[in-house]
Amino acid sequence: MQQLTVELGDRSYPIYIGSGLLGQRELFTPHIGGKQVCVVTDDTVSPLYLDALCRTLEGYQLISVVLPTGEAYKNWATLQQIFDTLLTARHDRRTTLIALGGGVIGDMTGFAAACYQRGVDFIQVPTTLLSQVDSSVGGKTGINHPAGKNMLGAFYQPKAVIIDTASLATLPAREVSAGLAEVIKYGLIRDAAFLAWLEDNMRGLRNLEAALVTEAVARSCAIKADVVAADEREGGVRAILNLGHTFGHAIEAHQGYGQWLHGEAVGAGMAMALDLSRRLGWIDTAAAERGIALIGEAGLPVRSPASMAAEDFIDLMAVDKKVLDGQLRLVLLKALGEAVVTAEFDSAALHETLAQGQS
Ligand SMILES: NC(=O)c1ccc[n+]([C@@H]2O[C@H](COP(=O)([O-])OP(=O)(O)OC[C@H]3O[C@@H](n4cnc5c(N)ncnc54)[C@H](O)[C@@H]3O)[C@@H](O)[C@H]2O)c1
Ligand SMILES: [Zn+2]
């Protein structure tokens, strides 16, 4: 097992990474303050892993909420089901919520924990590659609004992140690729050596070779933990974690949540960020092509949907959180492994990038 720490003073917390951790009671108990525990999961993950987790937590006053699966349900109505269950079972302020599932479950459970009785403890048990390398770490929680992704939410840190890499065995290949988008993101923004390692090992990663997956998860979590520790509430450097996301969120919203997977939209969005960085002359053609090739090798789209015009992007990006004081800010690359957040870019170049959809 590997262990990392997200350093946030008295709100610091551990990330445990290893195979079979779902069955290790001693990893959970130090992070559960009271007797009541509520596991939140979805109807895809529950038949796979809920029983195992419940066995691990025997002895607690344990309840579970099984939500409908998917991004389309990351909304108020679904969130309400968590509160209804907690209140019906009379869970009090010492209850601990456990998010068992992908990023949708993690984001919703974290937001529920932030709101319930003005804040209760929660633990992340991410079961998709995307949630293991990204969404479970860093304390961004929330839900979608029809007008935009993650428009309602809170910064709220978990007490622990328990990553059982064995749970990836049941994950569909398309979801593995989606998770690899965020893994590639860390290489592009922060770590050229990691990017080269990914180029060497992409095939093995897609086949979920255990040692490679553990390494990729640990290196990704280390970068995320580092960035979050430096800038928890995204006043500065944390924004680089949004590479490809301003474009990607627009794709997700335009296609309808759940049509393009988040990671797929981010894959295409990062390819667009590479393309724009090249058009601006910040990286050369070879570097852009290298990054785009790696995204493609992960099984991800490298162009926006054919049905999306440049104007669709402009409209949707205007509601994105990266717009500050009416100015669109984008994460772009100065080199492979070095990202910048900037509002200084030529709008003609942006327009050309936006008009490059799939043909
Ligand atoms: N909070 C953050 O910092 C942050 C960062 C990145 C992404 N996100 C959010 O995360 C969400 C995407 O997360 P995701 O990609 O995990 O999606 P997801 O939660 O929808 O999970 C993807 C699918 O895999 C299924 N699944 C989960 N674990 C499984 C397993 N072990 N075996 C088989 N199937 C399994 C789920 O039921 C679902 O159908 C988006 O809503 C995105 O906004 C948040
Ligand atoms: Zn993301």
Side-chain angles (χ1 to χ4, degrees), residues 73-193:
Y73 294 96
K74 190 178 164 184
N75 58 29
W76 270 118
T78 314
L79 191 69
Q80 184 76 16
Q81 288 186 42
I82 304 176
F83 300 135
D84 292 347
T85 307
L86 288 166
L87 289 165
T88 304
R90 296 181 190 281
H91 273 228
D92 62 29
R93 284 167 50 198
R94 283 171 58 76
T95 188
T96 298
L97 307 195
I98 299 184
L100 174 69
V104 168
I105 289 297
D107 281 13
M108 277 199 296
T109 307
F111 191 33
C115 298
Y116 190 66
Q117 313 235 347
R118 299 197 183 86
V120 298
D121 290 348
F122 87 112
I123 296 172
Q124 290 275 16
V125 183
T127 61
T128 62
L129 181 60
L130 186 137
S131 56
Q132 295 185 351
V133 298
D134 192 352
S135 61
S136 64
V137 173
K140 277 194 185 178
T141 73
I143 57 173
N144 299 328
H145 184 277
K149 271 275 294 180
N150 299 328
M151 279 294 140
L152 309 164
F155 283 100
Y156 197 68
Q157 302 291 344
K159 289 291 162 194
V161 182
I162 300 174
I163 300 177
D164 186 344
T165 51
S167 66
L168 299 179
T170 51
L171 198 65
R174 192 178 162 199
E175 298 286 352
V176 173
S177 291
L180 287 169
E182 308 281 7
V183 175
I184 292 169
K185 176 185 80 180
Y186 295 116
L188 288 172
I189 59 173
R190 262 274 164 126
D191 192 339

Side-chain angles (χ1 to χ4, degrees), residues 186-236:
Y186 295 116
L188 288 172
I189 59 173
R190 262 274 164 126
D191 192 339
F194 185 38
L195 202 67
W197 183 88
L198 290 171
E199 289 175 320
D200 291 342
N201 294 295
M202 190 47 77
R203 184 193 298 256
L205 284 168
R206 288 183 71 181
N207 291 332
L208 294 176
E209 286 175 28
L212 295 179
V213 170
T214 305
E215 174 78 8
V217 172
R219 286 178 82 159
S220 298
C221 285
I223 294 174
K224 176 115 191 214
D226 200 41
V227 172
V228 168
D231 176 22
E232 182 185 7
R233 297 178 77 92
E234 203 169 311

Side-chain angles (χ1 to χ4, degrees), residues 233-263:
R233 297 178 77 92
E234 203 169 311
V237 67
R238 184 167 178 168
I240 66 171
L241 296 174
N242 296 316
L243 177 69
H245 282 61
T246 302
F247 300 127
H249 287 164
I251 294 172
E252 284 181 89
H254 184 267
Q255 300 297 297
Y257 295 127
Q259 295 303 307
W260 277 49
L261 299 180
H262 174 73

